[in-house]
């Protein structure tokens, strides 16, 4: 009897569904990350290029609004991603007595942490934009709030580094002890759609990195190029999330 004609083992279909939901949650978390950084960098780039304070003010407000929405959006989507991933690991333990080794998991977590750092660094520049818009009182109040957020972020970053180092060492030790789960032959696996998604994510990452580089004054693209990069980042993320 062919393998495709055999009935799947108990729990295999449920595990495939859990993995699908985990991949969907991961894509949405990546969309939130890329869109937040791209929008925030673009708003601040345009604010820096504004000629008058009247032109700077709406862009400063937009930058602050994007930052205020980006933080909870990233936190929620990543929490959902982590919840689904834990469900997958729990089911893999039930079926195979061991989850997948997750060799790339420490790298993905470090990349997400770097994206958080970029988001916060962009958000911390919001007081300067309002100061350039001549709202000095609001800029001072926002600056004090930013300082408090910076202290909390630094403390969280130190705790993350300590936890990440221990988790990375644990993952390496588990990978050396065992080959992980044997996998699920009924899992759809890596098809053409995933290869297409990887190419789109590469395009989105390049566009976001270019916007961040422009915001850091590593290069000075034309305004039309800035809009093109923003569009590319958003379109690639939305198409990948379909």
């Amino acid at each position: 009897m062919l393998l495709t004609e055999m009935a799947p083992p108990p729990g295999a279909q449920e595990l495939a569904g859990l993995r699908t939901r985990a991949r969907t949650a991961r894509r949405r978390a990546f969309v939130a990350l890329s869109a937040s950084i791209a929008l925030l960098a673009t708003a601040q780039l345009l604010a820096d290029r504004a000629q008058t304070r009247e032109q700077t003010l709406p862009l400063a407000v937009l930058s602050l609004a994007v930052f205020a929405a980006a933080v909870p959006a990233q936190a929620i989507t990543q929490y959902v991603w982590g919840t689904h991933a834990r469900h997958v690991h729990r089911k893999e333990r039930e079926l195979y007595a061991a989850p997948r080794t997750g060799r790339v998991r420490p790298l993905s977590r470090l990349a997400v942490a770097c994206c958080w750092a970029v988001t916060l660094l962009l958000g911390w520049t919001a007081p300067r934009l309002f100061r350039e818009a001549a709202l000095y009182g609001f800029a001072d109040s926002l600056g004090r709030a930013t300082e408090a957020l910076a202290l909390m972020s630094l403390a969280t970053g130190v705790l993350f580094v300590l936890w990440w180092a221990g988790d990375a060492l644990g993952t390496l030790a588990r990978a050396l002890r065992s080959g992980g789960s044997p996998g699920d032959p009924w899992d759809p696996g890596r098809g053409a759609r995933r290869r297409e998604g990887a190419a789109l994510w590469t395009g989105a990452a390049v566009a976001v990195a270019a916007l961040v580089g422009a915001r850091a004054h590593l290069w000075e693209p034309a305004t039309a190029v800035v809009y093109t990069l923003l569009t590319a980042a958003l379109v690639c993320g939305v198409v990948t999330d379909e």
Side-chain angles (χ1 to χ4, degrees):
M1 180 179 295
L2 295 176
L3 181 62
T4 55
E5 298 176 354
M6 296 173 59
Q13 291 179 333
E14 181 183 356
L15 178 58
L18 290 174
R19 287 173 176 168
T20 300
R21 286 191 288 273
R23 285 192 294 267
T24 300
R26 180 182 60 187
R27 286 196 300 270
R28 290 175 180 172
F30 287 167
V31 168
L33 274 176
S34 61
S36 298
I37 296 175
L39 289 170
L40 195 53
T42 300
Q44 294 186 0
L45 268 172
L46 298 177
D48 280 344
R49 298 181 180 190
Q51 300 298 322
T52 63
R53 64 185 185 184
E54 288 78 11
Q55 295 175 344
T56 303
L57 180 57
L59 293 170
V61 173
L62 175 61
S63 174
L64 181 60
V66 171
F67 179 68
V71 172
Q74 292 181 188
I76 292 172
T77 53
Q78 290 173 28
Y79 174 79
V80 173
W81 174 20
T83 300
H84 285 295
R86 285 190 293 272
H87 290 167
V88 171
H89 298 158
R90 189 177 303 115
K91 192 64 179 179
E92 285 179 340
R93 288 190 185 94
E94 294 177 2
L95 290 179
Y96 306 123
R100 288 179 175 177
T101 54
R103 294 181 178 90
V104 300
R105 194 175 304 138
L107 295 178
S108 65
R109 287 172 173 169
L110 184 61
V112 170
C114 291
C115 290
W116 268 102
V118 171
T119 302
L120 292 175
L121 287 173
L122 290 172
W124 294 343
T125 62
R128 182 179 62 81
L129 298 179
F130 283 95
R131 194 168 288 110
E132 292 176 354
L135 293 180
Y136 302 110
F138 183 75
D140 291 339
S141 301
L142 189 60
R144 289 190 290 270
T146 301
E147 291 176 359
L149 177 61
L151 291 176
M152 294 174 55
S153 302
L154 289 174
T156 304
V158 171
L159 294 177
F160 169 80
V161 169
L162 295 175
W163 170 82
W164 179 84
D167 181 72
L169 292 175
T171 300
L172 178 60
R174 289 191 297 271
L176 294 176
R177 285 198 308 265
S178 172
S181 71
D184 180 4
W186 286 268
D187 193 354
R190 296 180 178 272
R193 180 71 177 179
R194 291 179 62 83
R195 288 193 293 270
E196 179 185 355
L200 291 171
W201 276 123
T202 301
V206 170
V208 172
L211 288 171
V212 173
R215 180 65 184 89
H217 303 291
L218 299 179
W219 69 307
E220 297 294 334
T223 302
V225 176
V226 172
Y227 282 117
T228 301
L229 291 171
L230 174 63
T231 302
L234 296 179
V235 169
C236 287
V238 170
V239 171
T240 304
D241 195 41
E242 288 182 351

